[in-house]
Amino acid sequence: MSGTCRSRSRRLRVSGVVAAAFLIACSLAVGTSLLRAPRASASAALPASPNLLNDPTFEQGNVGPWMFAPGENRAVYTPSSAPANTVDQTYLETNSGSSSAPNFYQDVDISPSPGQSYTTSILLRSPTSATITGTLVLWAVGGSSTEMGQTSFSVSSPTWTPWYTDLDIGRAGHTFLRVQVYINTLGANLDADGATLQDATLSDAGFAQGLGPWQVTPGQNRAIYQGQTPDGEYYLETNTGSASVGSLYQDVSGVPVVNHDYQLALYLRSPTGAAISATIVLWALGGTTNEDAQQAVTVQSGQWTRYVTDLDVADPGHTLFRVQIYLSTTGENLDVAGTSLEDTGVADGDFAESGSGPWSTSEASSQSENGSGGPSGSTWLEVTSDSADGSLFQDVPTNPVDGHPYTASVYLKSPATTAVTGTVVLWALDSSGSAQSAEVAQTDFNVGGSWTQVSTVLDVASGGYDDLRLQVYLTNSGTSVDVDAATLADSGLDPPLGPPDLPQGVGVYGYAPTGSQSFAQTVVSQGWSVLGETGGLGIQQSPYTAASAGSPSPDQQAAEAVAGAGRPITWMSFWTVSAPVSGDTWYDDGAVAGQYVAEYLDSISTRIKPDFVILDPEGYDNGQSNDYPSDAADWTNWIDGWVAGIKGTDSTLTPALYVWQYLYTAYDLASLNVPVFVSISPIVNSDGSANGPGAQDSSFVPGANVDGYQGLPASCPAQQDEQVVESWGGAYNILMFNDGGSDCGP
């Protein structure tokens, strides 16, 4: 790997042993084969970590997805009956009733793969302060045997407390996950709220499978032990042996996306109580400049403590993440548990940018603060209210999905000797920004001088929103609150809408043969993971598209190339569709074209079919004002027809849409419930800077339905273009060379 090491110096306090740790980190990341990055084409953007549970705040009551043991009592409290300081507008209260083994659970229809790690959490409290014990369990069920992760809890306070457990999948064949809460104490009420189930992104995040993908530098010792941790039954113990500064690390395949904020969280403890100096580092590696965020800590307690650090990615071209813990205290053991890595869903979640960065204030002022002891790095923001209900907020452009939960979380503390009160609010807003056309969730807080995590969960009930707003209100004028480590789970790039388990990354789109091989065969033999080709061009009468000429046709060539590849290939078939003639509607146009395309593809192959069948609006206008609809409603009708025509003929095909940036933004195409592929040009500007979302093209807003991008024009060697396009965050992307061929490999 070549390049420079760019540290975010605003986070660093490089003196003494910490300086030595950083210098070693830099040299390892850049200079040795031990830490060599994989090719960018093998990676995909690190997804935001969606909450896989339905109804995490128990709004649906007895008819929801949560199940209860026979005879167990339960009730869901609403705003009119709920006491203050609930996590959301509703929460669950339950007790044993006539059940001898009270429990409640939810099953999630997902088939986990070996090597994946999941983490689940729930907020619990005892409304009467009675001590209630139990166990939080995460099951993987199905296959030859079940697997589980569990954490025992003891709740004796009316204050909400989060409890966690994780599960590292070791065997194949599981068909669903189950989150279950067992209650050992009979007769006492237990309150529950804010449940989550997320992919931890890291492999073997809870160390249940042994060392797995975790590595150590020479001279570093480590071992796995079984014992109760804050989120499971296993932990790793490590120390520096012969090395003056040693480290533990894991490389995570994923492309760090520019302007995204990533948060690494883990638990540490000193089993003997000895003071241990450590540095927690999150790297974005690859490209011409490496970036990192690091948190220097001194661990000297036998109690588990949670630490987080945030990385705001500024440069394109990175090819992977690295999670790394450096020890500069020799000969003392450090215990590690409960690791996770996620896209926070907000920009500058650790407030490391100068001023308030992407954050805004309303009837309040703010100033950056620096020091040790922050929950994420050495910076945070102090907000002072100029009037009652002064606030800090950030708007996140996205299209919240109906029925999907979004969790907003911030760490708060009072900078004064007295406690400060306020409310954390999560809004779903439409383009008007009006509270009258919004959904909202809120949690009241009363925090003192210690950092306290406050969360709220919004279950989106309807569609049509295009913005989520995370807002922190202060109750009284003249009061201040410190804010850090903000996250908004699910608000980043959503999981792809297409078929599951497709190879993600960058490929090539084209139409021209190269040499003696077909274009498709060339793309496959060069090693690209994604193939895009022109299945058909628009015509001036119904069915408004026709298969491309040639024998074999481009689709036939693609089917043969994919079938003979010996490895998975993501295949995109593009179809130019013309506008309707007079007398046909846009829906009719899409439906007849979709039916024709599906019938044609079925005639080509009953076994190998495209993963995406993509409508390309660049045909004839046929008397219309454009070759595409002139308002958002007709776009919806056109795509609804396309979906109906394809799915009504072959339900195994996945309809999709290709557009350029202007159309996506001008006609609200983010609201369409199909995968969308967006064209961006140029890939790299004349000054060498990267184009695309978050760069020069700042008007472009990535949407939840954008599954990938087409970058053009591409040039050889293709690595730089490939890395830039992948850094935009799409799952399935394609380059296009000027001559329409595949001029070089990845």
Side-chain angles (χ1 to χ4, degrees), residues 451-482:
W451 287 105
T452 303
Q453 187 177 26
V454 181
S455 303
T456 196
V457 182
L458 174 63
D459 293 317
V460 176
S462 60
Y465 303 112
D466 49 26
D467 184 84
L468 287 174
R469 174 176 291 179
L470 170 54
Q471 196 156 16
V472 179
Y473 288 92
L474 286 164
T475 304
N476 300 313
S477 175
T479 58
S480 300
V481 68
D482 291 341

PDB file of all heavy atoms in Angstrom, residues 451-482:
ATOM      1  N   TRP A 451     -21.479  11.951  31.879  1.00  0.00           N
ATOM      2  CA  TRP A 451     -22.032  11.689  30.550  1.00  0.00           C
ATOM      3  C   TRP A 451     -23.109  10.604  30.633  1.00  0.00           C
ATOM      4  O   TRP A 451     -22.892   9.541  31.206  1.00  0.00           O
ATOM      5  CB  TRP A 451     -20.938  11.249  29.594  1.00  0.00           C
ATOM      6  CG  TRP A 451     -20.006  12.355  29.168  1.00  0.00           C
ATOM      7  CD1 TRP A 451     -18.731  12.557  29.589  1.00  0.00           C
ATOM      8  CD2 TRP A 451     -20.299  13.399  28.233  1.00  0.00           C
ATOM      9  NE1 TRP A 451     -18.198  13.659  28.971  1.00  0.00           N
ATOM     10  CE2 TRP A 451     -19.138  14.205  28.133  1.00  0.00           C
ATOM     11  CE3 TRP A 451     -21.416  13.750  27.476  1.00  0.00           C
ATOM     12  CZ2 TRP A 451     -19.058  15.318  27.310  1.00  0.00           C
ATOM     13  CZ3 TRP A 451     -21.343  14.857  26.655  1.00  0.00           C
ATOM     14  CH2 TRP A 451     -20.191  15.636  26.564  1.00  0.00           C
ATOM     15  N   THR A 452     -24.272  10.891  30.054  1.00  0.00           N
ATOM     16  CA  THR A 452     -25.420   9.980  30.076  1.00  0.00           C
ATOM     17  C   THR A 452     -25.959   9.828  28.664  1.00  0.00           C
ATOM     18  O   THR A 452     -26.194  10.825  27.967  1.00  0.00           O
ATOM     19  CB  THR A 452     -26.535  10.519  30.981  1.00  0.00           C
ATOM     20  OG1 THR A 452     -26.017  10.717  32.302  1.00  0.00           O
ATOM     21  CG2 THR A 452     -27.714   9.556  31.037  1.00  0.00           C
ATOM     22  N   GLN A 453     -26.157   8.589  28.230  1.00  0.00           N
ATOM     23  CA  GLN A 453     -26.705   8.358  26.902  1.00  0.00           C
ATOM     24  C   GLN A 453     -28.230   8.457  26.952  1.00  0.00           C
ATOM     25  O   GLN A 453     -28.882   7.823  27.785  1.00  0.00           O
ATOM     26  CB  GLN A 453     -26.296   6.988  26.370  1.00  0.00           C
ATOM     27  CG  GLN A 453     -26.681   6.751  24.919  1.00  0.00           C
ATOM     28  CD  GLN A 453     -26.198   5.406  24.406  1.00  0.00           C
ATOM     29  OE1 GLN A 453     -26.007   4.464  25.179  1.00  0.00           O
ATOM     30  NE2 GLN A 453     -25.982   5.299  23.104  1.00  0.00           N
ATOM     31  N   VAL A 454     -28.796   9.274  26.080  1.00  0.00           N
ATOM     32  CA  VAL A 454     -30.243   9.465  26.000  1.00  0.00           C
ATOM     33  C   VAL A 454     -30.684   9.117  24.584  1.00  0.00           C
ATOM     34  O   VAL A 454     -30.105   9.612  23.606  1.00  0.00           O
ATOM     35  CB  VAL A 454     -30.641  10.912  26.341  1.00  0.00           C
ATOM     36  CG1 VAL A 454     -32.164  11.075  26.282  1.00  0.00           C
ATOM     37  CG2 VAL A 454     -30.112  11.304  27.720  1.00  0.00           C
ATOM     38  N   SER A 455     -31.699   8.262  24.462  1.00  0.00           N
ATOM     39  CA  SER A 455     -32.150   7.786  23.157  1.00  0.00           C
ATOM     40  C   SER A 455     -33.642   7.996  22.997  1.00  0.00           C
ATOM     41  O   SER A 455     -34.388   8.078  23.981  1.00  0.00           O
ATOM     42  CB  SER A 455     -31.835   6.291  22.984  1.00  0.00           C
ATOM     43  OG  SER A 455     -30.467   6.036  23.139  1.00  0.00           O
ATOM     44  N   THR A 456     -34.070   8.049  21.750  1.00  0.00           N
ATOM     45  CA  THR A 456     -35.495   8.038  21.448  1.00  0.00           C
ATOM     46  C   THR A 456     -35.697   7.265  20.159  1.00  0.00           C
ATOM     47  O   THR A 456     -34.801   7.230  19.301  1.00  0.00           O
ATOM     48  CB  THR A 456     -36.080   9.459  21.356  1.00  0.00           C
ATOM     49  OG1 THR A 456     -37.502   9.392  21.425  1.00  0.00           O
ATOM     50  CG2 THR A 456     -35.650  10.158  20.074  1.00  0.00           C
ATOM     51  N   VAL A 457     -36.840   6.607  20.016  1.00  0.00           N
ATOM     52  CA  VAL A 457     -37.104   5.729  18.884  1.00  0.00           C
ATOM     53  C   VAL A 457     -38.374   6.183  18.180  1.00  0.00           C
ATOM     54  O   VAL A 457     -39.415   6.372  18.814  1.00  0.00           O
ATOM     55  CB  VAL A 457     -37.268   4.259  19.332  1.00  0.00           C
ATOM     56  CG1 VAL A 457     -37.505   3.357  18.128  1.00  0.00           C
ATOM     57  CG2 VAL A 457     -36.043   3.804  20.109  1.00  0.00           C
ATOM     58  N   LEU A 458     -38.284   6.364  16.860  1.00  0.00           N
ATOM     59  CA  LEU A 458     -39.432   6.763  16.053  1.00  0.00           C
ATOM     60  C   LEU A 458     -39.821   5.611  15.139  1.00  0.00           C
ATOM     61  O   LEU A 458     -39.036   5.186  14.296  1.00  0.00           O
ATOM     62  CB  LEU A 458     -39.090   8.004  15.220  1.00  0.00           C
ATOM     63  CG  LEU A 458     -40.149   8.461  14.213  1.00  0.00           C
ATOM     64  CD1 LEU A 458     -41.439   8.871  14.932  1.00  0.00           C
ATOM     65  CD2 LEU A 458     -39.621   9.612  13.366  1.00  0.00           C
ATOM     66  N   ASP A 459     -41.044   5.094  15.307  1.00  0.00           N
ATOM     67  CA  ASP A 459     -41.601   4.103  14.388  1.00  0.00           C
ATOM     68  C   ASP A 459     -42.372   4.864  13.317  1.00  0.00           C
ATOM     69  O   ASP A 459     -43.469   5.378  13.578  1.00  0.00           O
ATOM     70  CB  ASP A 459     -42.554   3.147  15.121  1.00  0.00           C
ATOM     71  CG  ASP A 459     -41.811   2.263  16.111  1.00  0.00           C
ATOM     72  OD1 ASP A 459     -40.741   1.774  15.755  1.00  0.00           O
ATOM     73  OD2 ASP A 459     -42.307   2.090  17.228  1.00  0.00           O
ATOM     74  N   VAL A 460     -41.829   4.953  12.128  1.00  0.00           N
ATOM     75  CA  VAL A 460     -42.458   5.737  11.065  1.00  0.00           C
ATOM     76  C   VAL A 460     -43.735   5.033  10.616  1.00  0.00           C
ATOM     77  O   VAL A 460     -43.714   3.855  10.265  1.00  0.00           O
ATOM     78  CB  VAL A 460     -41.491   5.934   9.892  1.00  0.00           C
ATOM     79  CG1 VAL A 460     -42.175   6.657   8.743  1.00  0.00           C
ATOM     80  CG2 VAL A 460     -40.273   6.723  10.360  1.00  0.00           C
ATOM     81  N   ALA A 461     -44.843   5.767  10.633  1.00  0.00           N
ATOM     82  CA  ALA A 461     -46.151   5.167  10.357  1.00  0.00           C
ATOM     83  C   ALA A 461     -46.589   5.320   8.913  1.00  0.00           C
ATOM     84  O   ALA A 461     -47.424   4.563   8.433  1.00  0.00           O
ATOM     85  CB  ALA A 461     -47.209   5.779  11.277  1.00  0.00           C
ATOM     86  N   SER A 462     -46.064   6.318   8.198  1.00  0.00           N
ATOM     87  CA  SER A 462     -46.494   6.540   6.815  1.00  0.00           C
ATOM     88  C   SER A 462     -45.320   7.070   6.013  1.00  0.00           C
ATOM     89  O   SER A 462     -44.321   7.537   6.563  1.00  0.00           O
ATOM     90  CB  SER A 462     -47.666   7.518   6.759  1.00  0.00           C
ATOM     91  OG  SER A 462     -47.305   8.770   7.313  1.00  0.00           O
ATOM     92  N   GLY A 463     -45.442   7.003   4.677  1.00  0.00           N
ATOM     93  CA  GLY A 463     -44.382   7.452   3.799  1.00  0.00           C
ATOM     94  C   GLY A 463     -44.523   8.925   3.445  1.00  0.00           C
ATOM     95  O   GLY A 463     -45.352   9.652   3.993  1.00  0.00           O
ATOM     96  N   GLY A 464     -43.696   9.363   2.518  1.00  0.00           N
ATOM     97  CA  GLY A 464     -43.785  10.732   2.026  1.00  0.00           C
ATOM     98  C   GLY A 464     -42.837  11.713   2.679  1.00  0.00           C
ATOM     99  O   GLY A 464     -42.789  12.881   2.280  1.00  0.00           O
ATOM    100  N   TYR A 465     -42.094  11.281   3.682  1.00  0.00           N
ATOM    101  CA  TYR A 465     -41.145  12.186   4.327  1.00  0.00           C
ATOM    102  C   TYR A 465     -39.813  12.161   3.580  1.00  0.00           C
ATOM    103  O   TYR A 465     -39.460  11.158   2.964  1.00  0.00           O
ATOM    104  CB  TYR A 465     -40.925  11.783   5.786  1.00  0.00           C
ATOM    105  CG  TYR A 465     -42.199  11.748   6.596  1.00  0.00           C
ATOM    106  CD1 TYR A 465     -42.714  10.548   7.059  1.00  0.00           C
ATOM    107  CD2 TYR A 465     -42.897  12.922   6.889  1.00  0.00           C
ATOM    108  CE1 TYR A 465     -43.887  10.501   7.799  1.00  0.00           C
ATOM    109  CE2 TYR A 465     -44.064  12.892   7.624  1.00  0.00           C
ATOM    110  CZ  TYR A 465     -44.560  11.670   8.075  1.00  0.00           C
ATOM    111  OH  TYR A 465     -45.720  11.640   8.794  1.00  0.00           O
ATOM    112  N   ASP A 466     -39.073  13.257   3.657  1.00  0.00           N
ATOM    113  CA  ASP A 466     -37.777  13.300   2.999  1.00  0.00           C
ATOM    114  C   ASP A 466     -36.678  13.829   3.907  1.00  0.00           C
ATOM    115  O   ASP A 466     -35.630  14.259   3.444  1.00  0.00           O
ATOM    116  CB  ASP A 466     -37.826  14.117   1.709  1.00  0.00           C
ATOM    117  CG  ASP A 466     -38.495  15.469   1.896  1.00  0.00           C
ATOM    118  OD1 ASP A 466     -38.480  15.986   3.030  1.00  0.00           O
ATOM    119  OD2 ASP A 466     -39.037  16.002   0.911  1.00  0.00           O
ATOM    120  N   ASP A 467     -36.927  13.804   5.221  1.00  0.00           N
ATOM    121  CA  ASP A 467     -35.936  14.347   6.139  1.00  0.00           C
ATOM    122  C   ASP A 467     -36.172  13.767   7.530  1.00  0.00           C
ATOM    123  O   ASP A 467     -37.313  13.620   7.965  1.00  0.00           O
ATOM    124  CB  ASP A 467     -36.072  15.876   6.185  1.00  0.00           C
ATOM    125  CG  ASP A 467     -35.010  16.531   7.056  1.00  0.00           C
ATOM    126  OD1 ASP A 467     -33.904  16.757   6.555  1.00  0.00           O
ATOM    127  OD2 ASP A 467     -35.287  16.808   8.232  1.00  0.00           O
ATOM    128  N   LEU A 468     -35.076  13.403   8.214  1.00  0.00           N
ATOM    129  CA  LEU A 468     -35.123  13.105   9.634  1.00  0.00           C
ATOM    130  C   LEU A 468     -34.350  14.196  10.362  1.00  0.00           C
ATOM    131  O   LEU A 468     -33.262  14.580   9.923  1.00  0.00           O
ATOM    132  CB  LEU A 468     -34.499  11.742   9.937  1.00  0.00           C
ATOM    133  CG  LEU A 468     -35.301  10.505   9.525  1.00  0.00           C
ATOM    134  CD1 LEU A 468     -34.481   9.249   9.748  1.00  0.00           C
ATOM    135  CD2 LEU A 468     -36.611  10.411  10.276  1.00  0.00           C
ATOM    136  N   ARG A 469     -34.893  14.693  11.451  1.00  0.00           N
ATOM    137  CA  ARG A 469     -34.227  15.734  12.233  1.00  0.00           C
ATOM    138  C   ARG A 469     -33.986  15.240  13.656  1.00  0.00           C
ATOM    139  O   ARG A 469     -34.923  14.866  14.363  1.00  0.00           O
ATOM    140  CB  ARG A 469     -35.058  17.010  12.277  1.00  0.00           C
ATOM    141  CG  ARG A 469     -34.470  18.083  13.213  1.00  0.00           C
ATOM    142  CD  ARG A 469     -35.260  19.374  13.175  1.00  0.00           C
ATOM    143  NE  ARG A 469     -35.092  20.028  11.884  1.00  0.00           N
ATOM    144  CZ  ARG A 469     -35.702  21.171  11.568  1.00  0.00           C
ATOM    145  NH1 ARG A 469     -36.511  21.761  12.439  1.00  0.00           N
ATOM    146  NH2 ARG A 469     -35.507  21.714  10.378  1.00  0.00           N
ATOM    147  N   LEU A 470     -32.720  15.232  14.049  1.00  0.00           N
ATOM    148  CA  LEU A 470     -32.336  14.929  15.428  1.00  0.00           C
ATOM    149  C   LEU A 470     -32.162  16.261  16.147  1.00  0.00           C
ATOM    150  O   LEU A 470     -31.364  17.099  15.727  1.00  0.00           O
ATOM    151  CB  LEU A 470     -31.041  14.128  15.456  1.00  0.00           C
ATOM    152  CG  LEU A 470     -30.349  13.921  16.803  1.00  0.00           C
ATOM    153  CD1 LEU A 470     -31.295  13.327  17.831  1.00  0.00           C
ATOM    154  CD2 LEU A 470     -29.110  13.051  16.637  1.00  0.00           C
ATOM    155  N   GLN A 471     -32.915  16.466  17.231  1.00  0.00           N
ATOM    156  CA  GLN A 471     -32.945  17.782  17.889  1.00  0.00           C
ATOM    157  C   GLN A 471     -32.860  17.607  19.406  1.00  0.00           C
ATOM    158  O   GLN A 471     -33.498  16.715  19.979  1.00  0.00           O
ATOM    159  CB  GLN A 471     -34.234  18.522  17.516  1.00  0.00           C
ATOM    160  CG  GLN A 471     -34.222  20.009  17.794  1.00  0.00           C
ATOM    161  CD  GLN A 471     -35.207  20.769  16.907  1.00  0.00           C
ATOM    162  OE1 GLN A 471     -36.101  20.192  16.294  1.00  0.00           O
ATOM    163  NE2 GLN A 471     -35.041  22.077  16.818  1.00  0.00           N
ATOM    164  N   VAL A 472     -32.051  18.456  20.036  1.00  0.00           N
ATOM    165  CA  VAL A 472     -31.907  18.470  21.491  1.00  0.00           C
ATOM    166  C   VAL A 472     -32.405  19.818  21.998  1.00  0.00           C
ATOM    167  O   VAL A 472     -31.825  20.859  21.674  1.00  0.00           O
ATOM    168  CB  VAL A 472     -30.437  18.249  21.919  1.00  0.00           C
ATOM    169  CG1 VAL A 472     -30.324  18.284  23.446  1.00  0.00           C
ATOM    170  CG2 VAL A 472     -29.905  16.928  21.369  1.00  0.00           C
ATOM    171  N   TYR A 473     -33.498  19.799  22.784  1.00  0.00           N
ATOM    172  CA  TYR A 473     -34.082  21.013  23.346  1.00  0.00           C
ATOM    173  C   TYR A 473     -33.651  21.173  24.800  1.00  0.00           C
ATOM    174  O   TYR A 473     -33.547  20.182  25.544  1.00  0.00           O
ATOM    175  CB  TYR A 473     -35.613  20.938  23.320  1.00  0.00           C
ATOM    176  CG  TYR A 473     -36.244  21.055  21.955  1.00  0.00           C
ATOM    177  CD1 TYR A 473     -36.527  19.924  21.201  1.00  0.00           C
ATOM    178  CD2 TYR A 473     -36.593  22.300  21.434  1.00  0.00           C
ATOM    179  CE1 TYR A 473     -37.133  20.018  19.947  1.00  0.00           C
ATOM    180  CE2 TYR A 473     -37.204  22.408  20.184  1.00  0.00           C
ATOM    181  CZ  TYR A 473     -37.472  21.266  19.451  1.00  0.00           C
ATOM    182  OH  TYR A 473     -38.065  21.370  18.228  1.00  0.00           O
ATOM    183  N   LEU A 474     -33.428  22.413  25.208  1.00  0.00           N
ATOM    184  CA  LEU A 474     -33.215  22.754  26.616  1.00  0.00           C
ATOM    185  C   LEU A 474     -34.477  23.388  27.169  1.00  0.00           C
ATOM    186  O   LEU A 474     -35.100  24.242  26.517  1.00  0.00           O
ATOM    187  CB  LEU A 474     -32.032  23.713  26.760  1.00  0.00           C
ATOM    188  CG  LEU A 474     -30.658  23.076  26.567  1.00  0.00           C
ATOM    189  CD1 LEU A 474     -29.608  24.149  26.332  1.00  0.00           C
ATOM    190  CD2 LEU A 474     -30.298  22.227  27.770  1.00  0.00           C
ATOM    191  N   THR A 475     -34.852  22.988  28.371  1.00  0.00           N
ATOM    192  CA  THR A 475     -36.127  23.440  28.936  1.00  0.00           C
ATOM    193  C   THR A 475     -36.101  24.917  29.305  1.00  0.00           C
ATOM    194  O   THR A 475     -37.053  25.654  29.037  1.00  0.00           O
ATOM    195  CB  THR A 475     -36.481  22.600  30.176  1.00  0.00           C
ATOM    196  OG1 THR A 475     -36.509  21.220  29.823  1.00  0.00           O
ATOM    197  CG2 THR A 475     -37.831  23.012  30.746  1.00  0.00           C
ATOM    198  N   ASN A 476     -35.009  25.366  29.914  1.00  0.00           N
ATOM    199  CA  ASN A 476     -34.977  26.708  30.500  1.00  0.00           C
ATOM    200  C   ASN A 476     -33.956  27.598  29.817  1.00  0.00           C
ATOM    201  O   ASN A 476     -32.874  27.147  29.409  1.00  0.00           O
ATOM    202  CB  ASN A 476     -34.651  26.616  31.998  1.00  0.00           C
ATOM    203  CG  ASN A 476     -35.675  25.808  32.761  1.00  0.00           C
ATOM    204  OD1 ASN A 476     -36.875  25.999  32.607  1.00  0.00           O
ATOM    205  ND2 ASN A 476     -35.198  24.869  33.576  1.00  0.00           N
ATOM    206  N   SER A 477     -34.282  28.861  29.706  1.00  0.00           N
ATOM    207  CA  SER A 477     -33.374  29.857  29.152  1.00  0.00           C
ATOM    208  C   SER A 477     -32.142  29.999  30.051  1.00  0.00           C
ATOM    209  O   SER A 477     -32.236  29.920  31.278  1.00  0.00           O
ATOM    210  CB  SER A 477     -34.089  31.204  29.037  1.00  0.00           C
ATOM    211  OG  SER A 477     -33.199  32.208  28.609  1.00  0.00           O
ATOM    212  N   GLY A 478     -30.979  30.193  29.418  1.00  0.00           N
ATOM    213  CA  GLY A 478     -29.753  30.417  30.166  1.00  0.00           C
ATOM    214  C   GLY A 478     -29.060  29.166  30.646  1.00  0.00           C
ATOM    215  O   GLY A 478     -27.996  29.244  31.254  1.00  0.00           O
ATOM    216  N   THR A 479     -29.621  27.995  30.394  1.00  0.00           N
ATOM    217  CA  THR A 479     -28.982  26.740  30.806  1.00  0.00           C
ATOM    218  C   THR A 479     -28.154  26.180  29.656  1.00  0.00           C
ATOM    219  O   THR A 479     -28.392  26.486  28.484  1.00  0.00           O
ATOM    220  CB  THR A 479     -30.018  25.702  31.253  1.00  0.00           C
ATOM    221  OG1 THR A 479     -30.945  25.466  30.178  1.00  0.00           O
ATOM    222  CG2 THR A 479     -30.778  26.200  32.466  1.00  0.00           C
ATOM    223  N   SER A 480     -27.170  25.347  30.005  1.00  0.00           N
ATOM    224  CA  SER A 480     -26.262  24.775  29.013  1.00  0.00           C
ATOM    225  C   SER A 480     -26.213  23.265  29.163  1.00  0.00           C
ATOM    226  O   SER A 480     -26.415  22.719  30.252  1.00  0.00           O
ATOM    227  CB  SER A 480     -24.846  25.345  29.173  1.00  0.00           C
ATOM    228  OG  SER A 480     -24.842  26.743  29.014  1.00  0.00           O
ATOM    229  N   VAL A 481     -25.913  22.595  28.061  1.00  0.00           N
ATOM    230  CA  VAL A 481     -25.736  21.150  28.069  1.00  0.00           C
ATOM    231  C   VAL A 481     -24.589  20.811  27.129  1.00  0.00           C
ATOM    232  O   VAL A 481     -24.412  21.444  26.079  1.00  0.00           O
ATOM    233  CB  VAL A 481     -27.026  20.407  27.664  1.00  0.00           C
ATOM    234  CG1 VAL A 481     -27.381  20.641  26.200  1.00  0.00           C
ATOM    235  CG2 VAL A 481     -26.919  18.918  27.960  1.00  0.00           C
ATOM    236  N   ASP A 482     -23.768  19.823  27.504  1.00  0.00           N
ATOM    237  CA  ASP A 482     -22.713  19.303  26.644  1.00  0.00           C
ATOM    238  C   ASP A 482     -23.260  18.113  25.863  1.00  0.00           C
ATOM    239  O   ASP A 482     -23.956  17.254  26.427  1.00  0.00           O
ATOM    240  CB  ASP A 482     -21.507  18.872  27.469  1.00  0.00           C
ATOM    241  CG  ASP A 482     -20.787  20.061  28.099  1.00  0.00           C
ATOM    242  OD1 ASP A 482     -20.994  21.198  27.619  1.00  0.00           O
ATOM    243  OD2 ASP A 482     -20.027  19.854  29.067  1.00  0.00           O
TER     244      ASP A 482
END
